[in-house]
Every structure is written in C-alpha cells, then in structure tokens.
Amino acid sequence: MFEKYIAAVIQLDTTTCYEDNLKAAADFIGEAHARRARLVTLPENWTYQGNDYLDYAEEMPGGRLATMVSQLSAKYGMWIHSGSSSEKNENPSDPRPHNTSMLFNPKGELVAKYRKVHASDMDVAGAHAYRESDHKCPGKEIVVYDTKEVGKLGLSICYDLRFPELFRLMALDGAEVFFVPSSFYLMTGKDHWDILLQSRAIENSCYLLAGAQCGVKYD
C-alpha cells in the first residue's frame, strides 16, 4: 500500500485551438507542482475538440503532446497521466485514431499506455446521436501499472466507466487507484457520471481520479 500523497485532477474547457489547450494544461501542471502534487491527471480529448480531429492525431510516444508531458514530468519530478487524446493508428488499413492515455514517471519516461476499449455509441434524448466507433479505433488491452511510489494504477477512459467488469479485473490485478479521464455530455453527466464514479470506487475499495471537460460548453 502506498503512503499518503497529493494528487491533482485538472479539468479543462477544451477549444479548437491546439496551442491554447497545450499551454493551459502546462500552466495547470505547473500549478499542481507548486501545490506539491506527486501525481497529476488530465481529462479526455483535451488537446482538441472539433471536427478536424484527424489533423491532431499524434504518435505516442514521439508526438508533440508526449514530448511535452515527458519534459514536464522530468522537470517537476512528478507522475503525469496524460488524460486522453488521439493517437495515430499504426494500421494502414484503418484511418481511425485511438483514444489513448499515457503515464509518465518522474524521470519523464513513458511507462504505460492505454487505448480506450469501449467506444461511446449512444442516442440521448435531448442531445444528438454519437458514434465514437465511427471515428475512433478501440483498444484491446487492460492496463495496470505498479509505480512502486504512488500505488498500482488502473487506466480507463470515460465510457469505460459503464463496464464494472473492466474495473473488477483491474482490481483483481492489484489496482489501487483508477484513472477515468472523461468528456461526458451534460445530459448524461449530470445524471450518471458522479454515481458511476462512486460505484466503481466503492465496489473495488479503490481510489479514483477523474478529470473532466468543464466550462461554458457544459453550463
């Protein structure tokens, strides 16, 4: 079991400006360091929100996002979980990027990577239909990483939250803290998000860190 430490959960009002989004995240990570956080996490799809998502899919590692987070992890000597963003698909026959999370250690090394398994395909009364599987390629692997410092961390993303079996499998693999970076709609978030987060934590006797999108678009 890990010792008590400070964890920072960053929430962002992501825009169509990639540069502004990266700067905002870097500034908040710096603030988290100033507040003595040893672990930081970001929300889902925070590098870009818009229709031109393919233009902002990156290599992980190797892309600008991974490079920035690696450098900040080493600069501040902290664990940083990248939330999630679009990763280029190495399969030439599938243009859909992955929805991917990365975990960096205090030396700036990429130690774990998770690709969202469950695509959010749904119709919500009062909101438009959404088919994440049309433009994101699902992953296939469950990821738990033992940091030896801030606990055993289980990685998930947003809609994964609705599948308790995933979290149970991570707990059985020793996970003590779950990441759930999210970008829930207002219509589903206000009724479902909080109670599902609480359920996954209580069911497995685990801590849970969930950064979400926020701001004017979600008022």
Side-chain angles (χ1 to χ4, degrees):
M1 185 65 178
F2 54 86
E3 296 181 358
K4 184 184 294 187
Y5 62 86
I6 296 173
V9 177
I10 295 172
Q11 301 195 133
L12 295 167
D13 182 14
T14 299
T15 71
T16 56
C17 183
Y18 177 89
E19 300 290 339
D20 288 351
N21 298 330
L22 257 62
K23 183 180 185 305
D27 289 345
F28 279 124
I29 290 170
E31 180 181 342
H33 169 69
R35 296 190 181 199
R36 299 189 175 185
R38 292 178 60 193
L39 172 64
V40 177
T41 183
L42 291 147
E44 181 185 28
N45 292 328
W46 65 268
T47 57
Y48 174 81
Q49 290 273 359
N51 295 324
D52 300 323
Y53 59 90
L54 282 174
D55 295 338
Y56 294 94
E58 306 181 46
E59 294 180 349
M60 298 183 185
R64 185 173 172 186
L65 167 63
T67 299
M68 183 191 85
V69 177
S70 172
Q71 291 173 346
L72 291 173
S73 294
K75 175 182 178 180
Y76 295 129
M78 66 191 345
W79 292 87
I80 300 181
H81 173 260
S82 72
S84 85
S85 50
S86 295
E87 178 193 14
K88 286 184 177 179
N89 195 334
E90 69 276 11
N91 182 355
S93 65
D94 191 343
R96 298 175 301 166
H98 297 284
N99 189 346
T100 300
S101 291
M102 297 177 287
L103 179 67
F104 291 85
N105 68 18
K107 296 180 180 179
E109 300 167 335
L110 176 62
V111 295
K113 183 168 75 170
Y114 169 74
R115 292 166 172 167
K116 185 176 182 180
V117 170
H118 300 98
S120 177
D121 291 353
M122 58 183 180
D123 294 291
V124 180
H128 60 80
Y130 182 70
R131 296 286 181 273
E132 186 178 20
S133 61
D134 288 347
H135 59 269
K136 292 289 177 68
C137 180
K140 298 179 180 179
E141 296 183 2
I142 298 172
V143 177
V144 174
Y145 183 78
D146 187 357
T147 68
K148 310 294 185 183
E149 297 178 15
V150 291
K152 294 183 179 179
L153 309 179
L155 279 63
S156 73
I157 299 173
C158 199
Y159 196 68
D160 286 330
L161 184 62
R162 296 187 180 277
F163 297 86
E165 297 85 356
L166 171 64
F167 292 83
R168 193 61 187 152
L169 288 171
M170 290 193 290
L172 290 172
D173 197 24
E176 299 164 301
V177 180
F178 297 137
F179 289 116
V180 192
S182 298
S183 184
F184 263 72
Y185 286 108
L186 171 63
M187 301 300 293
T188 56
K190 65 184 179 67
D191 294 328
H192 301 169
W193 196 54
D194 283 347
I195 193 168
L196 287 171
L197 291 173
Q198 293 169 19
S199 297
R200 299 296 88 85
I202 292 168
E203 290 164 352
N204 298 290
S205 298
C206 289
Y207 295 94
L208 194 148
L209 300 174
Q213 292 290 335
C214 63
V216 295
K217 294 190 294 296
Y218 294 86
D219 286 346

